Amino acid sequence: VLDDNKLLTLPSGERLGIPNNMRIILEVDSLNFATPATVSRCGMVWFSEETVTAEMCLEYLMDSLAKEDIVGDRVTGEETPPAQTHFLNAIRPLVLSERTSSLVIDALEFAMSETHVMAASRDRLLHTFRALLVQGIGLAVAYDENHPDFPMAGEHLEKFSKRWLLHSLMWSFVGSASWEVRKKFGDVLLRTSGVNLPSGDGHSLVDYRVRVEDGEYELWSDSVPRMEIESHRVSATDVVITTTDTIRHSEILGAWLNSRIPLVLCGPPGSGKTMTLTSVLQSVQGVVLANLNFSSRTTPEIIQKVFQQYCKYVRRGKDVVLEPAESLGAQCWLVVFCDEINLPEEDSYGTQRVIMFMRQLVEQGGFWRDDNTWVKTNRIQFVGACNPPTDAGRVDMSHRFMRHVPLLLVDFPEKDSLMQIYS
Protein backbone atom coordinates (compact mmCIF):
# COMPACT_ATOMS: atom_id res chain seq x y z
CA VAL A 1 0.00 0.00 0.00
CA LEU A 2 2.81 2.46 0.89
CA ASP A 3 4.80 1.55 -2.22
CA ASP A 4 4.79 3.56 -5.47
CA ASN A 5 2.35 1.18 -7.14
CA LYS A 6 -0.21 1.69 -4.26
CA LEU A 7 -1.75 -1.78 -4.35
CA LEU A 8 -3.40 -3.56 -1.43
CA THR A 9 -3.19 -7.35 -1.89
CA LEU A 10 -5.85 -9.26 0.07
CA PRO A 11 -5.32 -12.81 1.42
CA SER A 12 -7.65 -14.05 -1.36
CA GLY A 13 -5.20 -12.76 -3.99
CA GLU A 14 -7.47 -9.89 -5.01
CA ARG A 15 -5.69 -6.58 -5.54
CA LEU A 16 -7.17 -3.17 -4.77
CA GLY A 17 -5.69 0.06 -6.08
CA ILE A 18 -5.47 2.99 -3.67
CA PRO A 19 -6.99 6.12 -5.31
CA ASN A 20 -4.87 9.26 -5.63
CA ASN A 21 -7.10 11.32 -3.33
CA MET A 22 -6.51 8.99 -0.35
CA ARG A 23 -3.83 9.53 2.34
CA ILE A 24 -2.79 7.12 5.08
CA ILE A 25 -1.79 8.42 8.53
CA LEU A 26 -0.37 6.00 11.12
CA GLU A 27 -0.30 7.10 14.76
CA VAL A 28 1.92 4.94 16.97
CA ASP A 29 3.66 5.21 20.34
CA SER A 30 6.80 3.36 19.23
CA LEU A 31 8.44 1.90 16.13
CA ASN A 32 9.48 -1.38 17.79
CA PHE A 33 7.67 -3.45 15.16
CA ALA A 34 8.15 -1.24 12.08
CA THR A 35 10.51 -2.58 9.41
CA PRO A 36 13.02 -0.29 7.67
CA ALA A 37 10.92 -0.76 4.50
CA THR A 38 7.87 0.75 6.24
CA VAL A 39 9.80 3.56 7.93
CA SER A 40 11.61 4.62 4.74
CA ARG A 41 8.27 5.05 2.90
CA CYS A 42 6.69 7.30 5.58
CA GLY A 43 7.14 10.92 6.43
CA MET A 44 7.73 11.22 10.17
CA VAL A 45 6.54 13.73 12.78
CA TRP A 46 7.92 13.10 16.25
CA PHE A 47 6.14 14.53 19.30
CA SER A 48 8.52 14.90 22.21
CA GLU A 49 7.14 14.86 25.77
CA GLU A 50 8.58 18.37 26.17
CA THR A 51 6.35 19.67 23.35
CA VAL A 52 3.51 20.16 25.84
CA THR A 53 4.83 21.40 29.19
CA ALA A 54 3.24 20.84 32.60
CA GLU A 55 2.52 24.61 32.80
CA MET A 56 0.49 24.40 29.56
CA CYS A 57 -1.49 21.46 30.94
CA LEU A 58 -2.26 23.32 34.19
CA GLU A 59 -3.28 26.49 32.34
CA TYR A 60 -5.67 24.46 30.19
CA LEU A 61 -6.98 22.68 33.31
CA MET A 62 -7.76 25.95 35.12
CA ASP A 63 -9.39 27.55 32.05
CA SER A 64 -11.56 24.49 31.33
CA LEU A 65 -12.66 24.25 35.01
CA ALA A 66 -13.69 27.92 34.94
CA LYS A 67 -16.17 27.21 32.11
CA GLU A 68 -17.28 23.70 33.07
CA ASP A 69 -20.81 22.94 34.29
CA ILE A 70 -19.72 21.13 37.47
CA VAL A 71 -23.16 20.34 38.94
CA GLY A 72 -24.69 19.51 35.55
CA ASP A 73 -27.88 21.58 35.82
CA ARG A 74 -26.80 24.90 34.29
CA VAL A 75 -28.98 26.36 31.53
CA THR A 76 -27.20 27.59 28.38
CA GLY A 77 -26.10 31.19 28.82
CA GLU A 78 -26.43 31.05 32.62
CA GLU A 79 -23.52 32.45 34.60
CA THR A 80 -20.94 30.29 36.37
CA PRO A 81 -21.79 29.92 40.11
CA PRO A 82 -19.81 32.46 42.20
CA ALA A 83 -18.42 29.67 44.43
CA GLN A 84 -16.78 28.03 41.38
CA THR A 85 -15.10 31.28 40.30
CA HIS A 86 -13.95 32.21 43.84
CA PHE A 87 -12.61 28.68 44.48
CA LEU A 88 -10.49 28.76 41.31
CA ASN A 89 -9.26 32.32 42.00
CA ALA A 90 -8.17 31.26 45.50
CA ILE A 91 -6.06 28.32 44.27
CA ARG A 92 -4.74 29.89 41.03
CA PRO A 93 -1.51 31.36 42.60
CA LEU A 94 -0.65 27.87 43.93
CA VAL A 95 -1.36 26.17 40.57
CA LEU A 96 0.22 28.71 38.19
CA SER A 97 3.06 31.05 39.06
CA GLU A 98 4.56 33.72 36.80
CA ARG A 99 8.14 33.91 38.08
CA THR A 100 9.04 30.73 39.96
CA SER A 101 7.67 27.20 39.70
CA SER A 102 4.31 26.87 41.49
CA LEU A 103 3.37 24.55 44.36
CA VAL A 104 1.62 22.14 41.98
CA ILE A 105 4.63 21.99 39.58
CA ASP A 106 7.00 21.28 42.51
CA ALA A 107 4.60 18.63 43.84
CA LEU A 108 4.37 17.04 40.38
CA GLU A 109 8.16 16.85 40.05
CA PHE A 110 8.44 15.32 43.53
CA ALA A 111 5.72 12.74 42.80
CA MET A 112 7.29 11.76 39.46
CA SER A 113 10.65 11.12 41.18
CA GLU A 114 9.11 8.69 43.72
CA THR A 115 8.32 4.98 43.25
CA HIS A 116 4.70 4.13 42.39
CA VAL A 117 3.02 0.71 42.24
CA MET A 118 2.76 1.24 38.44
CA ALA A 119 4.91 3.64 36.42
CA ALA A 120 3.52 7.17 36.89
CA SER A 121 2.89 9.48 33.94
CA ARG A 122 2.27 13.22 34.08
CA ASP A 123 -0.97 12.88 32.11
CA ARG A 124 -2.44 10.38 34.56
CA LEU A 125 -1.52 12.42 37.66
CA LEU A 126 -3.03 15.63 36.23
CA HIS A 127 -6.15 13.81 34.97
CA THR A 128 -6.69 12.41 38.50
CA PHE A 129 -5.98 15.83 40.06
CA ARG A 130 -8.70 17.40 37.90
CA ALA A 131 -11.34 14.87 39.04
CA LEU A 132 -10.68 15.68 42.73
CA LEU A 133 -10.74 19.45 42.11
CA VAL A 134 -14.14 19.02 40.41
CA GLN A 135 -15.40 17.28 43.56
CA GLY A 136 -14.17 20.18 45.75
CA ILE A 137 -15.84 22.80 43.51
CA GLY A 138 -19.04 20.71 43.57
CA LEU A 139 -19.00 20.73 47.39
CA ALA A 140 -18.51 24.54 47.49
CA VAL A 141 -21.36 25.13 44.99
CA ALA A 142 -23.68 22.74 46.91
CA TYR A 143 -22.82 24.51 50.21
CA ASP A 144 -23.85 27.89 48.70
CA GLU A 145 -27.12 26.45 47.38
CA ASN A 146 -27.97 25.03 50.83
CA HIS A 147 -26.95 28.24 52.67
CA PRO A 148 -28.25 31.07 50.41
CA ASP A 149 -28.17 33.60 53.29
CA PHE A 150 -24.59 32.78 54.36
CA PRO A 151 -22.67 31.60 51.27
CA MET A 152 -19.05 30.47 51.54
CA ALA A 153 -16.90 33.62 51.43
CA GLY A 154 -13.81 35.34 52.78
CA GLU A 155 -11.64 33.32 55.14
CA HIS A 156 -13.94 30.26 55.02
CA LEU A 157 -13.63 29.99 51.22
CA GLU A 158 -9.89 30.70 51.28
CA LYS A 159 -9.30 28.01 53.90
CA PHE A 160 -11.48 25.40 52.22
CA SER A 161 -10.12 25.90 48.70
CA LYS A 162 -6.42 25.85 49.69
CA ARG A 163 -6.82 22.85 51.96
CA TRP A 164 -8.88 21.02 49.35
CA LEU A 165 -6.09 21.69 46.84
CA LEU A 166 -3.60 19.95 49.17
CA HIS A 167 -6.05 17.05 49.69
CA SER A 168 -6.42 16.72 45.87
CA LEU A 169 -2.65 16.80 45.33
CA MET A 170 -2.11 14.17 48.00
CA TRP A 171 -4.51 11.60 46.56
CA SER A 172 -3.95 12.30 42.87
CA PHE A 173 -0.15 12.54 42.82
CA VAL A 174 0.81 9.85 45.38
CA GLY A 175 -2.42 7.82 45.70
CA SER A 176 -0.55 5.08 43.82
CA ALA A 177 2.50 5.20 46.13
CA SER A 178 3.24 3.66 49.54
CA TRP A 179 2.32 5.17 52.94
CA GLU A 180 5.94 6.29 53.51
CA VAL A 181 5.90 8.29 50.26
CA ARG A 182 2.47 9.76 51.09
CA LYS A 183 3.71 10.97 54.50
CA LYS A 184 6.89 12.43 52.97
CA PHE A 185 4.83 14.13 50.23
CA GLY A 186 2.43 15.54 52.87
CA ASP A 187 5.36 17.12 54.76
CA VAL A 188 6.66 18.70 51.53
CA LEU A 189 3.19 20.15 50.73
CA LEU A 190 2.77 21.62 54.23
CA ARG A 191 6.27 23.15 54.14
CA THR A 192 5.77 24.71 50.70
CA SER A 193 2.18 25.95 51.15
CA GLY A 194 2.49 27.31 54.68
CA VAL A 195 -0.74 25.54 55.76
CA ASN A 196 -0.65 24.27 59.35
CA LEU A 197 -2.25 21.08 60.66
CA PRO A 198 -4.12 21.11 63.98
CA SER A 199 -1.49 20.58 66.67
CA GLY A 200 -1.65 16.87 67.35
CA ASP A 201 0.25 13.74 68.14
CA GLY A 202 2.43 13.17 65.10
CA HIS A 203 -0.33 13.03 62.46
CA SER A 204 0.50 13.69 58.81
CA LEU A 205 -1.54 15.45 56.08
CA VAL A 206 -2.73 12.05 54.83
CA ASP A 207 -4.57 11.50 58.17
CA TYR A 208 -6.87 14.52 57.72
CA ARG A 209 -9.91 15.38 55.63
CA VAL A 210 -11.30 18.88 54.92
CA ARG A 211 -14.72 19.88 56.30
CA VAL A 212 -16.81 21.92 53.88
CA GLU A 213 -18.83 23.49 56.75
CA ASP A 214 -15.91 25.58 58.08
CA GLY A 215 -12.87 24.68 55.92
CA GLU A 216 -11.10 23.14 58.93
CA TYR A 217 -9.21 19.84 59.14
CA GLU A 218 -10.59 16.79 60.94
CA LEU A 219 -9.05 13.35 61.39
CA TRP A 220 -10.38 10.59 59.11
CA SER A 221 -10.43 8.36 62.19
CA ASP A 222 -13.01 10.67 63.86
CA SER A 223 -15.62 9.67 61.27
CA VAL A 224 -15.24 5.92 61.80
CA PRO A 225 -18.49 4.63 63.36
CA ARG A 226 -18.37 2.19 66.25
CA MET A 227 -19.54 -1.22 64.98
CA GLU A 228 -21.01 -4.12 66.89
CA ILE A 229 -21.29 -7.39 64.96
CA GLU A 230 -23.76 -10.07 66.01
CA SER A 231 -21.95 -13.30 66.81
CA HIS A 232 -23.55 -15.29 63.97
CA ARG A 233 -22.38 -12.69 61.38
CA VAL A 234 -18.69 -12.83 62.30
CA SER A 235 -17.79 -15.40 59.62
CA ALA A 236 -19.95 -13.82 56.84
CA THR A 237 -17.82 -12.75 53.84
CA ASP A 238 -19.85 -9.64 52.97
CA VAL A 239 -19.31 -7.90 56.34
CA VAL A 240 -17.22 -4.75 55.81
CA ILE A 241 -15.72 -3.35 59.01
CA THR A 242 -15.49 0.41 58.55
CA THR A 243 -11.94 1.59 59.26
CA THR A 244 -9.95 4.76 58.61
CA ASP A 245 -8.62 3.14 55.42
CA THR A 246 -12.02 2.10 54.02
CA ILE A 247 -13.46 5.60 54.68
CA ARG A 248 -10.46 7.25 53.00
CA HIS A 249 -10.59 4.95 49.98
CA SER A 250 -14.40 5.19 49.65
CA GLU A 251 -14.25 8.99 49.61
CA ILE A 252 -11.56 9.09 46.88
CA LEU A 253 -13.20 6.35 44.78
CA GLY A 254 -16.57 8.10 45.07
CA ALA A 255 -15.07 11.30 43.57
CA TRP A 256 -13.60 9.37 40.61
CA LEU A 257 -16.79 7.36 40.03
CA ASN A 258 -18.89 10.54 40.02
CA SER A 259 -16.53 12.04 37.42
CA ARG A 260 -17.46 9.03 35.24
CA ILE A 261 -13.84 8.19 34.45
CA PRO A 262 -12.36 4.67 34.51
CA LEU A 263 -10.28 3.76 37.57
CA VAL A 264 -8.04 0.95 38.81
CA LEU A 265 -7.26 -0.31 42.32
CA CYS A 266 -3.92 -2.03 42.69
CA GLY A 267 -2.57 -3.85 45.73
CA PRO A 268 -1.31 -7.15 47.12
CA PRO A 269 -3.66 -10.19 47.21
CA GLY A 270 -6.07 -10.09 50.14
CA SER A 271 -5.79 -6.35 50.82
CA GLY A 272 -9.54 -5.82 50.19
CA LYS A 273 -9.56 -4.18 46.73
CA THR A 274 -12.63 -5.97 45.36
CA MET A 275 -14.50 -5.64 48.66
CA THR A 276 -13.79 -1.88 48.86
CA LEU A 277 -14.86 -1.26 45.27
CA THR A 278 -18.00 -3.36 45.56
CA SER A 279 -19.11 -1.65 48.78
CA VAL A 280 -18.53 1.82 47.23
CA LEU A 281 -20.46 0.88 44.06
CA GLN A 282 -23.37 -0.48 46.09
CA SER A 283 -23.66 2.87 47.89
CA VAL A 284 -23.86 4.81 44.58
CA GLN A 285 -27.36 5.37 43.17
CA GLY A 286 -28.30 4.49 39.58
CA VAL A 287 -25.47 2.05 38.89
CA VAL A 288 -25.66 -1.52 37.55
CA LEU A 289 -22.54 -3.61 38.18
CA ALA A 290 -21.28 -6.21 35.67
CA ASN A 291 -18.45 -8.40 37.02
CA LEU A 292 -15.75 -9.78 34.71
CA ASN A 293 -12.79 -11.93 35.70
CA PHE A 294 -9.88 -11.43 33.31
CA SER A 295 -7.35 -14.17 32.53
CA SER A 296 -4.28 -14.44 30.32
CA ARG A 297 -6.54 -15.47 27.40
CA THR A 298 -9.13 -12.68 27.69
CA THR A 299 -10.05 -10.96 24.39
CA PRO A 300 -12.30 -7.96 23.50
CA GLU A 301 -15.19 -10.36 22.83
CA ILE A 302 -15.79 -10.67 26.60
CA ILE A 303 -16.68 -6.96 26.79
CA GLN A 304 -18.95 -7.18 23.75
CA LYS A 305 -20.82 -10.07 25.40
CA VAL A 306 -21.42 -7.88 28.48
CA PHE A 307 -22.76 -5.15 26.17
CA GLN A 308 -25.15 -7.66 24.56
CA GLN A 309 -26.39 -8.74 27.98
CA TYR A 310 -26.91 -5.30 29.57
CA CYS A 311 -27.19 -2.81 26.71
CA LYS A 312 -29.24 -2.10 23.61
CA TYR A 313 -28.69 -0.15 20.39
CA VAL A 314 -30.65 3.09 19.98
CA ARG A 315 -30.75 5.25 16.85
CA ARG A 316 -30.46 9.01 17.52
CA GLY A 317 -30.56 10.95 14.26
CA LYS A 318 -27.69 9.63 12.17
CA ASP A 319 -25.89 8.05 15.14
CA VAL A 320 -26.19 4.54 16.52
CA VAL A 321 -25.79 4.63 20.32
CA LEU A 322 -25.17 1.73 22.69
CA GLU A 323 -26.49 2.36 26.22
CA PRO A 324 -27.78 0.39 29.23
CA ALA A 325 -31.26 -1.07 28.60
CA GLU A 326 -34.19 0.90 30.06
CA SER A 327 -35.28 -2.19 32.01
CA LEU A 328 -32.22 -1.61 34.29
CA GLY A 329 -33.57 1.81 35.25
CA ALA A 330 -33.89 5.20 33.55
CA GLN A 331 -30.56 7.02 33.11
CA CYS A 332 -28.68 4.28 34.97
CA TRP A 333 -24.96 3.69 34.38
CA LEU A 334 -23.39 0.34 33.55
CA VAL A 335 -20.15 -0.12 35.52
CA VAL A 336 -18.04 -2.96 34.10
CA PHE A 337 -15.79 -4.26 36.90
CA CYS A 338 -12.72 -6.03 35.45
CA ASP A 339 -11.01 -8.10 38.14
CA GLU A 340 -7.34 -9.03 37.51
CA ILE A 341 -7.25 -6.42 34.74
CA ASN A 342 -3.50 -6.81 34.13
CA LEU A 343 -3.55 -10.59 33.43
CA PRO A 344 -4.29 -10.63 29.63
CA GLU A 345 -1.21 -11.61 27.63
CA GLU A 346 0.33 -9.38 24.98
CA ASP A 347 0.09 -10.53 21.36
CA SER A 348 3.17 -10.84 19.13
CA TYR A 349 3.12 -7.04 18.62
CA GLY A 350 3.17 -6.26 22.35
CA THR A 351 -0.53 -5.27 22.56
CA GLN A 352 -3.09 -6.37 25.16
CA ARG A 353 -6.04 -6.32 22.77
CA VAL A 354 -8.77 -6.16 25.42
CA ILE A 355 -7.03 -3.22 27.16
CA MET A 356 -6.63 -1.39 23.84
CA PHE A 357 -10.33 -1.96 23.08
CA MET A 358 -11.22 -0.39 26.44
CA ARG A 359 -8.87 2.49 25.67
CA GLN A 360 -10.70 3.11 22.39
CA LEU A 361 -14.08 3.11 24.18
CA VAL A 362 -12.77 5.62 26.75
CA GLU A 363 -10.86 7.84 24.30
CA GLN A 364 -12.99 7.75 21.12
CA GLY A 365 -16.32 7.00 22.86
CA GLY A 366 -17.28 4.13 20.56
CA PHE A 367 -16.28 1.19 18.35
CA TRP A 368 -16.80 -0.23 14.84
CA ARG A 369 -19.47 -2.91 14.72
CA ASP A 370 -19.13 -5.97 12.43
CA ASP A 371 -21.32 -4.30 9.79
CA ASN A 372 -18.90 -1.30 9.58
CA THR A 373 -21.21 0.99 11.58
CA TRP A 374 -19.60 3.35 14.11
CA VAL A 375 -21.39 2.81 17.45
CA LYS A 376 -21.18 5.50 20.15
CA THR A 377 -21.23 4.31 23.77
CA ASN A 378 -23.24 6.14 26.42
CA ARG A 379 -23.35 5.76 30.25
CA ILE A 380 -20.75 2.96 30.36
CA GLN A 381 -17.82 3.10 32.80
CA PHE A 382 -14.91 0.73 33.49
CA VAL A 383 -13.33 -0.01 36.86
CA GLY A 384 -10.57 -2.53 37.50
CA ALA A 385 -8.61 -4.24 40.26
CA CYS A 386 -5.28 -6.00 40.00
CA ASN A 387 -2.18 -7.22 41.82
CA PRO A 388 1.06 -5.23 41.39
CA PRO A 389 2.79 -5.77 38.00
CA THR A 390 5.78 -7.27 39.83
CA ASP A 391 3.70 -10.40 40.70
CA ALA A 392 4.05 -13.51 38.53
CA GLY A 393 2.03 -13.61 35.31
CA ARG A 394 1.19 -9.91 35.39
CA VAL A 395 1.67 -7.64 32.37
CA ASP A 396 2.48 -3.92 32.47
CA MET A 397 -0.58 -2.13 31.09
CA SER A 398 -0.06 0.31 28.24
CA HIS A 399 0.56 3.96 29.18
CA ARG A 400 -1.86 4.87 26.40
CA PHE A 401 -4.68 3.35 28.47
CA MET A 402 -3.33 4.20 31.93
CA ARG A 403 -3.09 7.95 31.22
CA HIS A 404 -6.92 8.06 31.35
CA VAL A 405 -7.13 6.00 34.55
CA PRO A 406 -6.71 7.19 38.16
CA LEU A 407 -4.82 4.55 40.16
CA LEU A 408 -5.14 3.90 43.90
CA LEU A 409 -2.79 1.65 45.85
CA VAL A 410 -4.77 -0.36 48.42
CA ASP A 411 -2.14 -1.76 50.76
CA PHE A 412 -2.55 -3.94 53.84
CA PRO A 413 -4.31 -2.06 56.68
CA GLU A 414 -2.36 0.37 58.83
CA LYS A 415 -1.97 -0.29 62.57
CA ASP A 416 -4.93 1.94 63.58
CA SER A 417 -7.19 0.14 61.06
CA LEU A 418 -6.20 -3.26 62.48
CA MET A 419 -7.02 -1.97 65.98
CA GLN A 420 -10.46 -0.84 64.73
CA ILE A 421 -11.13 -4.25 63.14
CA TYR A 422 -10.07 -6.48 66.03
CA SER A 423 -11.06 -4.36 69.02
Side-chain angles (χ1 to χ4, degrees), residues 257 260 263 277 281 284 286-292 306 310 324 332-338 379-384:
L257 282 167
R260 305 302 181 190
L263 59 104
L277 250 180
L281 285 166
V284 178
V287 161
V288 175
L289 184 61
N291 284 307
L292 290 178
V306 167
Y310 291 94
C332 84
W333 277 74
L334 173 67
V335 174
V336 182
F337 174 43
C338 312
R379 301 203 310 274
I380 296 172
Q381 186 176 9
F382 293 98
V383 298

Coordinates of all heavy atoms in Angstrom, one line a residue, residues 257 260 263 277 281 284 286-292 306 310 324 332-338 379-384:
L257 N -15.6 8.0 40.6 CA -16.8 7.4 40.0 C -17.8 8.4 39.6 O -18.4 8.3 38.5 CB -17.5 6.4 41.0 CG -16.8 5.1 41.2 CD1 -17.4 4.4 42.4 CD2 -17.0 4.2 40.0
R260 N -17.2 10.0 36.4 CA -17.5 9.0 35.2 C -16.2 8.7 34.4 O -16.2 8.7 33.2 CB -18.5 9.6 34.3 CG -19.8 9.9 35.0 CD -20.4 8.7 35.7 NE -21.7 9.0 36.4 CZ -22.3 8.2 37.2 NH1 -21.8 7.0 37.5 NH2 -23.5 8.5 37.7
L263 N -11.3 3.7 36.5 CA -10.3 3.8 37.6 C -9.8 2.3 37.9 O -10.5 1.4 37.5 CB -10.9 4.4 38.8 CG -12.1 3.8 39.4 CD1 -11.8 3.0 40.7 CD2 -13.2 4.8 39.8
L277 N -14.2 -1.8 46.5 CA -14.9 -1.3 45.3 C -16.3 -1.6 45.3 O -17.2 -0.8 45.0 CB -14.2 -1.9 44.0 CG -13.4 -0.9 43.2 CD1 -12.8 -1.6 42.0 CD2 -14.2 0.3 42.7
L281 N -19.5 0.9 45.2 CA -20.5 0.9 44.1 C -21.9 0.6 44.5 O -22.8 1.2 44.0 CB -20.0 -0.2 43.0 CG -18.8 0.2 42.2 CD1 -18.3 -1.0 41.4 CD2 -19.2 1.3 41.2
V284 N -23.6 3.8 45.6 CA -23.9 4.8 44.6 C -25.2 4.5 43.9 O -25.5 3.4 43.6 CB -22.7 4.8 43.5 CG1 -23.0 5.8 42.4 CG2 -21.4 5.1 44.1
G286 N -28.2 4.5 41.0 CA -28.3 4.5 39.6 C -27.1 3.8 38.9 O -26.7 4.3 37.8
V287 N -26.6 2.8 39.5 CA -25.5 2.0 38.9 C -25.8 0.6 38.8 O -26.3 0.0 39.8 CB -24.2 2.3 39.7 CG1 -23.1 1.2 39.4 CG2 -23.6 3.7 39.4
V288 N -25.5 -0.1 37.7 CA -25.7 -1.5 37.6 C -24.2 -2.1 37.4 O -23.5 -1.6 36.5 CB -26.5 -1.9 36.3 CG1 -26.6 -3.4 36.1 CG2 -27.9 -1.4 36.5
L289 N -23.9 -3.1 38.2 CA -22.5 -3.6 38.2 C -22.5 -4.9 37.4 O -23.3 -5.8 37.6 CB -22.1 -3.9 39.6 CG -20.7 -4.3 39.9 CD1 -19.7 -3.3 39.3 CD2 -20.4 -4.6 41.3
A290 N -21.5 -5.0 36.4 CA -21.3 -6.2 35.7 C -19.9 -6.7 36.0 O -18.9 -5.9 35.8 CB -21.4 -5.9 34.2
N291 N -19.8 -7.9 36.6 CA -18.5 -8.4 37.0 C -17.8 -9.2 35.9 O -18.4 -10.1 35.3 CB -18.6 -9.3 38.3 CG -18.8 -8.4 39.5 OD1 -18.0 -7.5 39.8 ND2 -19.9 -8.7 40.2
L292 N -16.5 -9.0 35.7 CA -15.7 -9.8 34.7 C -14.5 -10.2 35.4 O -13.8 -9.4 36.1 CB -15.4 -8.9 33.5 CG -16.5 -8.6 32.5 CD1 -15.9 -7.7 31.4 CD2 -17.1 -9.8 31.9
V306 N -20.8 -8.6 27.4 CA -21.4 -7.9 28.5 C -22.4 -6.8 27.9 O -23.5 -6.6 28.4 CB -20.3 -7.2 29.4 CG1 -20.9 -6.2 30.3 CG2 -19.6 -8.3 30.2
Y310 N -26.4 -6.4 28.8 CA -26.9 -5.3 29.6 C -27.4 -4.1 28.7 O -28.0 -3.2 29.3 CB -25.8 -4.8 30.6 CG -25.5 -5.8 31.7 CD1 -24.5 -6.7 31.6 CD2 -26.3 -5.8 32.9 CE1 -24.2 -7.6 32.6 CE2 -26.0 -6.7 33.9 CZ -24.9 -7.6 33.7 OH -24.7 -8.4 34.8
P324 N -27.1 1.4 28.4 CA -27.8 0.4 29.2 C -29.3 0.3 28.9 O -29.9 1.4 28.7 CB -27.5 0.9 30.7 CG -26.3 1.7 30.5 CD -26.3 2.3 29.2
C332 N -29.7 5.0 34.1 CA -28.7 4.3 35.0 C -27.4 4.1 34.2 O -27.4 4.1 33.0 CB -29.2 2.9 35.5 SG -29.0 1.6 34.3
W333 N -26.3 3.9 35.0 CA -25.0 3.7 34.4 C -24.6 2.2 34.5 O -24.9 1.6 35.5 CB -23.9 4.5 35.1 CG -23.9 5.9 34.6 CD1 -24.8 6.9 34.8 CD2 -22.8 6.5 33.8 NE1 -24.4 8.1 34.2 CE2 -23.2 7.9 33.6 CE3 -21.7 6.0 33.2 CZ2 -22.4 8.7 32.8 CZ3 -20.9 6.9 32.5 CH2 -21.3 8.2 32.2
L334 N -23.9 1.7 33.5 CA -23.4 0.3 33.6 C -21.9 0.5 33.9 O -21.1 1.1 33.2 CB -23.5 -0.4 32.2 CG -22.8 -1.7 32.1 CD1 -23.5 -2.7 33.0 CD2 -22.8 -2.3 30.7
V335 N -21.6 -0.1 35.1 CA -20.1 -0.1 35.5 C -19.6 -1.5 35.3 O -20.1 -2.5 35.9 CB -20.0 0.3 37.0 CG1 -18.6 0.2 37.4 CG2 -20.5 1.7 37.2
V336 N -18.6 -1.7 34.4 CA -18.0 -3.0 34.1 C -16.8 -3.1 35.0 O -15.8 -2.4 34.9 CB -17.6 -3.1 32.6 CG1 -17.1 -4.4 32.3 CG2 -18.8 -2.8 31.7
F337 N -16.9 -4.1 36.0 CA -15.8 -4.3 36.9 C -14.9 -5.4 36.4 O -15.3 -6.5 36.3 CB -16.3 -4.6 38.3 CG -15.3 -5.0 39.3 CD1 -14.1 -4.2 39.4 CD2 -15.5 -6.0 40.2 CE1 -13.1 -4.6 40.3 CE2 -14.5 -6.4 41.1 CZ -13.3 -5.6 41.1
C338 N -13.7 -5.1 36.0 CA -12.7 -6.0 35.4 C -11.7 -6.4 36.5 O -10.8 -5.7 36.8 CB -12.0 -5.4 34.3 SG -13.0 -4.6 33.1
R379 N -23.1 6.2 28.9 CA -23.3 5.8 30.2 C -22.7 4.4 30.5 O -23.3 3.5 31.1 CB -24.8 5.7 30.6 CG -25.5 7.1 30.4 CD -26.8 7.2 31.2 NE -27.7 6.1 31.0 CZ -28.6 6.0 30.1 NH1 -28.7 7.0 29.2 NH2 -29.4 4.9 30.0
I380 N -21.5 4.2 30.1 CA -20.7 3.0 30.4 C -19.4 3.4 31.0 O -18.7 4.2 30.4 CB -20.5 2.1 29.1 CG1 -21.9 1.6 28.5 CG2 -19.6 0.9 29.4 CD1 -21.8 0.9 27.2
Q381 N -19.0 2.7 32.1 CA -17.8 3.1 32.8 C -17.1 1.8 33.2 O -17.7 0.8 33.5 CB -18.2 3.9 34.1 CG -17.1 4.5 34.9 CD -17.6 5.3 36.0 OE1 -18.8 5.3 36.4 NE2 -16.7 6.0 36.7
F382 N -15.7 1.9 33.2 CA -14.9 0.7 33.5 C -14.2 1.0 34.8 O -13.6 2.1 35.0 CB -13.9 0.5 32.4 CG -14.5 0.0 31.1 CD1 -14.7 0.9 30.1 CD2 -14.8 -1.3 30.9 CE1 -15.3 0.6 28.9 CE2 -15.4 -1.7 29.7 CZ -15.6 -0.8 28.7
V383 N -14.2 0.0 35.7 CA -13.3 0.0 36.9 C -12.6 -1.3 36.9 O -13.1 -2.4 36.4 CB -14.1 0.2 38.2 CG1 -14.8 1.5 38.2 CG2 -15.1 -0.9 38.4
G384 N -11.4 -1.3 37.5 CA -10.6 -2.5 37.5 C -9.9 -2.7 38.8 O -9.7 -1.8 39.6

